[in-house]
Amino acid sequence: DKGMVFIVGKSGSGKSTLLNIIGGLDSATSGEIIADGNSILKMTKTKLTKYRSSYVGFIFQDYHILENFTVRQNIELAMDIANKNDENKINEILQVVDLTIYADRYPSELSGGQKQRVSIARALVKDAQVILCDEPTGNLDKKTSSQVLDMLKKISQEKLVVVVSHNMVDANTYADRIIELYDGTIVRDRQRTKNYNNF
């Protein structure tokens, strides 16, 4: 229910497909996805929509933020979709992702790292239990990548953060668990203790 899990593997190994199935964006052809004791593959459309809008939060490589909305409006939209409305929560999340002074700016006025922090804010503001990240640092330079991963690592102390990546250096630096895929199959699954002594 918390911690940072990296799903790693070469392009085409099934990383993003697995993430999309966990997030309820794609359907599995076999097996089960159990979230909070419920099989998401057996959920009604209404329950699956609620699962996607409230239980999981998505952070993508390409940010997927609306260019004609300000930072605050992008975050407000995520709350609206989750049927929540709390101005204090938005202000709190802006502080968490260090975007308070950028709240009224548009994405065209932000750096890549700041745009990714808007994505993180949108996932957090709806109080998602699981944060799913598809190559969240793929478009960022090394320094900004480290800042984003440091932020996600901090979030993983309270929530489950699943990161799809091909970067083993990041996985070895940040992950509590690394699941390695090859051609759609798990070939390695390693978990670390709190102090990483068994890794």
Side-chain angles (χ1 to χ4, degrees), residues 161-181:
V161 176
V162 180
V163 179
V164 157
S165 178
H166 62 273
N167 190 323
M168 282 302 296
V169 173
D170 287 345
N172 286 323
T173 303
Y174 291 95
D176 300 303
R177 180 179 179 185
I178 300 175
I179 299 170
E180 195 170 340
L181 295 184

Side-chain angles (χ1 to χ4, degrees), residues 6-185:
F6 268 68
I7 300 172
V8 298
K10 293 180 179 177
S11 294
S13 61
K15 305 184 302 294
S16 293
T17 300
L18 177 58
L19 199 77
N20 288 340
I21 291 171
I22 294 169
L25 299 177
D26 288 338
S27 295
T29 51
S30 63
E32 282 192 285
I33 304 290
I34 308 295
D36 234 10
N38 300 303
S39 170
I40 70 167
L41 305 181
K42 295 175 183 173
M43 287 180 179
T44 63
K45 278 188 175 181
T46 305
K47 284 187 177 177
L48 188 58
T49 298
K50 188 175 181 184
Y51 170 81
R52 282 191 301 247
S53 64
S54 301
Y55 191 79
V56 293
F58 295 93
I59 299 170
F60 298 100
Q61 178 178 338
D62 295 322
Y63 320 127
H64 292 294
I65 56 179
L66 299 174
E67 293 292 330
N68 56 337
F69 278 37
T70 64
V71 168
R72 181 182 294 279
Q73 289 169 334
N74 267 284
I75 298 168
E76 283 172 347
L77 182 61
M79 284 201 93
D80 289 344
I81 291 169
N83 290 318
K84 296 178 180 178
N85 190 355
D86 185 344
E87 194 64 32
N88 291 333
K89 181 76 172 175
I90 291 170
N91 291 331
E92 178 189 320
I93 294 299
L94 282 166
Q95 219 169 357
V96 168
V97 297
D98 197 23
L99 286 175
T100 303
I101 62 172
Y102 301 99
D104 296 318
R105 292 196 186 179
Y106 288 89
S108 61
E109 303 172 282
L110 304 177
S111 68
Q114 289 164 341
K115 288 179 184 178
Q116 195 58 290
R117 283 189 269 156
V118 176
S119 297
I120 294 170
R122 285 189 316 189
L124 292 178
V125 78
K126 60 184 186 174
D127 205 25
Q129 299 306 299
V130 180
I131 310 294
L132 303 175
C133 312
D134 195 354
E135 299 278 6
T137 60
N139 288 333
L140 306 176
D141 60 59
K142 190 173 180 181
K143 182 182 176 185
T144 310
S145 294
S146 296
Q147 291 170 347
V148 167
L149 288 169
D150 286 343
M151 186 175 293
L152 290 171
K153 183 67 178 177
K154 190 174 180 185
I155 291 164
S156 76
Q157 293 171 4
E158 304 292 329
K159 299 176 183 294
L160 177 61
V161 176
V162 180
V163 179
V164 157
S165 178
H166 62 273
N167 190 323
M168 282 302 296
V169 173
D170 287 345
N172 286 323
T173 303
Y174 291 95
D176 300 303
R177 180 179 179 185
I178 300 175
I179 299 170
E180 195 170 340
L181 295 184
Y182 179 79
D183 199 19
T185 302

Side-chain angles (χ1 to χ4, degrees), residues 168 171-172 175-178 190-193 196-199:
M168 282 302 296
N172 286 323
D176 300 303
R177 180 179 179 185
I178 300 175
R190 299 176 287 159
Q191 196 154 352
R192 305 201 276 199
T193 61
Y196 301 166
N197 292 329
N198 68 336
F199 199 66

